[in-house]
């Protein structure tokens, strides 16, 4: 385990096992229809790579980058698109791939924006959802894990751009925030 990690919330094995289940469930729902996976950078980059490799339906990728104003550990709900999609989504099945659903404010903004572009379908898969934290109702068709309300890092999630490469998800030692 990395020396800055206080405890592991989800092990590499638990994450990979759940992603395989999600991949089968999602593929079964789309059948032979192509689906456009849209990952929200940067956190979801690792999840989209692993999820796509567990899917059997035809898959295409696109990426968006958004920034939420405010402190690094709290969501403000004000979202700015830093990088938009490269392609049109009109009449296509779209599956937004998110790393973590916290207050839901980022996703709410994003879904509202994408819905105006008239996709054939629009669903969300999130690897993590913070239990009881959603401030706005979001219909997330696929949820990997419900986790307690703690700030987590690893498997794509950062603190000050670090720890994204950890293969597991964990909580940092308190002194890492204060140093
Ligand atoms: P929301 O708008 O749902 O409150 O926040 C969504 C975004 O906040 C996530 O995509 C992620 O970038 C960031 N975030 C929320 N909770 C955590 C967390 O526990 N750890 C990390 N590293 N980022 C988080």
């Amino acid at each position: 385990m990395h020396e800055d990690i206080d405890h592991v919330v989800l092990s590499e094995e638990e994450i990979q096992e759940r992603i395989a289940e999600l991949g089968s469930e999602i593929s079964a729902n789309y059948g032979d229809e192509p689906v456009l996976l849209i990952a929200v950078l940067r956190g979801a980059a690792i999840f989209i790579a692993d999820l796509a490799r567990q899917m059997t339906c035809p898959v295409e990728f696109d990426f968006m980058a958004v920034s939420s104003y405010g402190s690094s550990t709290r969501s403000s709900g004000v979202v700015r698109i830093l990088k938009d999609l490269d392609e049109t989504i009109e009449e296509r099945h779209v599956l937004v791939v998110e790393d973590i659903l916290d207050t839901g404010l980022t996703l709410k903004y994003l879904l509202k924006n994408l819905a105006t572009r008239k996709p054939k379908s629009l669903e969300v898969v999130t690897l993590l959802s913070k239990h009881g934290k959603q401030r706005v109702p979001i219909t997330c068709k696929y949820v990997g894990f419900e986790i307690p309300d703690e700030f987590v890092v690893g498997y794509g999630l950062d603190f000050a751009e670090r720890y994204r490469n950890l293969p597991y998800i964990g909580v940092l030692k308190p002194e890492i925030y204060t140093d």
Side-chain angles (χ1 to χ4, degrees), residues 40-44 66 68 72-77 79 98-108 128 130 133-135 147-154 156-160 162 164:
V40 187
L41 295 173
R42 296 166 201 160
V66 298
S68 130
S72 57
T73 58
R74 206 167 304 145
S75 184
S76 69
V79 176
E98 255 287 27
D99 48 5
I100 187 163
L101 180 61
D102 186 5
T103 62
L105 292 167
T106 310
L107 207 51
K108 186 186 173 214
L128 308 173
K130 279 197 186 163
K133 268 295 289 295
Q134 273 83 74
R135 276 167 52 192
I147 59 163
D149 181 18
E150 287 180 298
F151 188 80
V152 289
V153 297
L157 292 161
D158 75 311
F159 174 65
R162 289 191 58 202
R164 291 192 197 275

Side-chain angles (χ1 to χ4, degrees), residues 80-96:
R80 190 160 54 110
I81 294 182
L82 302 176
K83 184 218 168 289
D84 206 342
L85 298 174
D86 290 329
E87 296 178 38
T88 173
I89 61 169
E90 197 170 335
E91 283 306 306
R92 298 170 78 180
H93 289 298
V94 169
L95 181 63
V96 176

Side-chain angles (χ1 to χ4, degrees), residues 47-64:
F47 180 36
I48 192 177
D50 282 347
L51 179 68
R53 284 179 289 179
Q54 296 292 340
M55 289 176 65
T56 50
C57 53
V59 163
E60 294 170 57
F61 283 22
D62 206 344
F63 297 92
M64 276 183 101

